[in-house]
């Protein structure tokens, strides 16, 4: 029976570390601040924005929410981002998605300064992932790594099979895992005989967006299984892994909820602090 990769417990430790770092910055006269831009009133986006404010407040990070009407012009959104980019008191910027259909997501996301891009989606930050340089990286792939490292998993030398090639998790995770000296295989929704690959894995990371895709017979006994999927099903949410089945053969497994997702907001806040360091280097 597998042991849990407990994201909730790790998140508590992470948040205490962030509080200490916030305190150190404040002692140096810097008040860490996150600015969130919300266009329209998409219910899920409103909830996410309020959730980030709650976490920011609990960590001592200043929070600024800019809410624009759904019919705002792209130029007005870009002008707001420009002002946040130029404001030295703002250290992190997040754009809540989805944006209204008449707005170019790519143009808006690329307008955020790379060293304030706490979502890690700017093309320059994506380039830093590829090159191995220091930048701001997306929270979910970082969470996949963090949940393993803080649970004592040695990634180096392991064969990691990633299921999913999405821009948000799968692709960046390939290069972040490679930095830890693992051997990486990437599979996806069109991979024939997926189990033939996953049964070779020491570590499986599922991030394809298909409910309970990974079954017991697809997992090598003793493998580590990290579930980065989130899917709505009748009665709640589940991951991409059939948790009840797979926990019988895996050595470690992350639940959904309570696993990878529990770390993401904390890691966004950690990116705010990392952004301060990067911005200070730029200012030198």
């Amino acid at each position: 029976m597998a042991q849990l990769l407990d994201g909730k417990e790790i998140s508590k430790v992470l948040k205490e570390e962030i509080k200490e770092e916030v305190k150190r910055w404040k002692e140096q006269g810097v008040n860490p601040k996150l600015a969130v831009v919300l266009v329209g009133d998409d219910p899920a986006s409103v909830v996410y924005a309020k959730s980030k404010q709650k976490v920011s407040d609990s960590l001592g990070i200043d929070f600024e929410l800019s809410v624009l009407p759904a019919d705002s012009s792209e130029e007005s959104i870009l002008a707001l981002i420009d002002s946040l980019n130029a404001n030295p008191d703002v250290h992190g910027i997040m754009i809540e998605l989805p944006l209204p259909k008449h707005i170019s997501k790519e143009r808006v996301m690329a307008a955020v300064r790379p060293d304030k891009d706490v979502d890690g989606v700017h093309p320059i930050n994506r380039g830093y992932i590829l090159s191995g340089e220091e930048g701001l990286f997306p929270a979910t792939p970082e969470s996949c790594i963090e949940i393993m490292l803080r649970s004592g998993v040695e990634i180096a030398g392991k064969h990691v099979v990633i299921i999913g090639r999405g821009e948000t998790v799968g692709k960046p995770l390939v290069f972040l895992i490679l930095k830890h000296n693992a051997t990486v295989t990437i599979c996806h929704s069109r991979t024939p005989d997926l189990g033939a690959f996953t049964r070779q894995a020491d570590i499986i990371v599922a991030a394809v967006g298909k409910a309970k895709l990974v079954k017991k017979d697809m997992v090598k006994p003793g493998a580590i299984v990290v579930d980065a999927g989130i899917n709505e099903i009748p009665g709640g949410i589940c991951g991409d892994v059939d948790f009840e089945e797979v926990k019988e053969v895996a050595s470690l497994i992350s639940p959904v909820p309570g696993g990878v997702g529990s770390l993401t907001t904390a890691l966004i806040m950690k990116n705010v602090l990392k952004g301060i360091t990067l911005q200070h280097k730029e200012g030198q």
Side-chain angles (χ1 to χ4, degrees):
M1 186 69 73
Q3 289 185 303
L4 280 187
L5 293 166
D6 193 337
K8 288 182 179 177
E9 285 304 312
I10 293 168
S11 178
K12 287 177 189 173
V13 174
L14 198 52
K15 286 175 180 175
E16 288 304 315
E17 293 172 3
I18 292 168
K19 280 182 191 175
E20 287 300 312
E21 194 175 343
V22 168
K23 188 178 169 185
R24 288 196 294 273
W25 278 116
K26 288 186 174 181
E27 286 167 356
Q28 296 175 53
V30 178
N31 289 317
K33 184 173 184 178
L34 171 65
V36 173
V37 176
L38 175 60
V39 185
D41 55 0
D42 176 73
S45 297
V46 172
V47 170
Y48 292 145
K50 286 181 178 175
S51 167
K52 290 181 188 84
Q53 181 162 14
K54 189 177 175 183
V55 174
S56 293
D57 291 347
S58 72
L59 299 175
I61 294 173
D62 292 346
F63 185 90
E64 177 184 316
L65 177 62
S66 299
V67 182
L68 299 178
D71 60 357
S72 297
S73 68
E74 194 168 290
E75 285 65 33
S76 66
I77 297 166
L78 294 173
L80 172 61
I81 293 170
D82 283 345
S83 70
L84 295 172
N85 283 338
N87 186 345
D89 294 328
V90 171
H91 306 105
I93 302 170
M94 271 197 80
I95 313 298
E96 285 291 354
L97 300 176
L99 290 166
K101 288 186 170 61
H102 68 284
I103 304 295
S104 164
K105 180 182 102 171
E106 290 73 20
R107 195 174 168 208
V108 167
M109 303 304 265
V112 177
R113 252 175 67 168
D115 58 2
K116 294 190 178 187
D117 165 39
V118 293
D119 264 332
V121 295
H122 193 283
I124 286 177
N125 281 323
R126 292 193 179 278
Y128 287 153
I129 291 175
L130 293 175
S131 66
E133 291 180 68
E134 207 52 69
L136 299 179
F137 304 140
T140 301
E142 289 269 47
S143 298
C144 293
I145 293 168
E146 198 81 18
I147 202 169
M148 287 191 280
L149 293 180
R150 288 179 180 262
S151 301
V153 174
E154 177 65 55
I155 298 174
K158 298 290 197 302
H159 180 196
V160 180
V161 172
I162 299 168
I163 310 169
R165 56 182 169 180
E167 300 295 332
T168 310
V169 185
K171 284 181 182 175
L173 186 57
V174 172
F175 298 98
L176 292 174
I177 287 275
L178 282 173
K179 281 176 74 173
H180 289 273
N181 300 312
T183 299
V184 181
T185 298
I186 186 158
C187 300
H188 46 78
S189 56
R190 296 195 182 181
T191 300
D193 194 5
L194 182 60
F197 294 93
T198 57
R199 279 188 290 273
Q200 298 176 46
D202 303 309
I203 299 170
I204 298 171
V205 182
V208 75
K210 288 197 171 185
K212 301 185 181 184
L213 172 71
V214 179
K215 303 292 185 183
K216 180 179 175 179
D217 64 356
M218 297 167 68
V219 179
K220 177 173 76 175
I224 296 157
V225 180
V226 178
D227 193 346
I230 183 162
N231 307 281
E232 288 190 25
I233 57 170
I237 61 168
C238 73
D240 291 349
V241 175
D242 192 329
F243 181 83
E244 291 304 321
E245 270 197 21
V246 173
K247 72 179 184 182
E248 295 177 18
V249 291
S251 61
L252 288 165
I253 187 169
S254 69
V256 176
V260 168
S262 301
L263 299 178
T264 51
T265 304
L267 288 171
I268 288 168
M269 301 305 163
K270 197 171 180 182
N271 268 350
V272 175
L273 303 180
K274 192 176 181 184
I276 299 172
T277 302
L278 295 172
Q279 290 150 38
H280 279 218
K281 283 181 184 174
E282 286 289 318
Q284 286 174 359

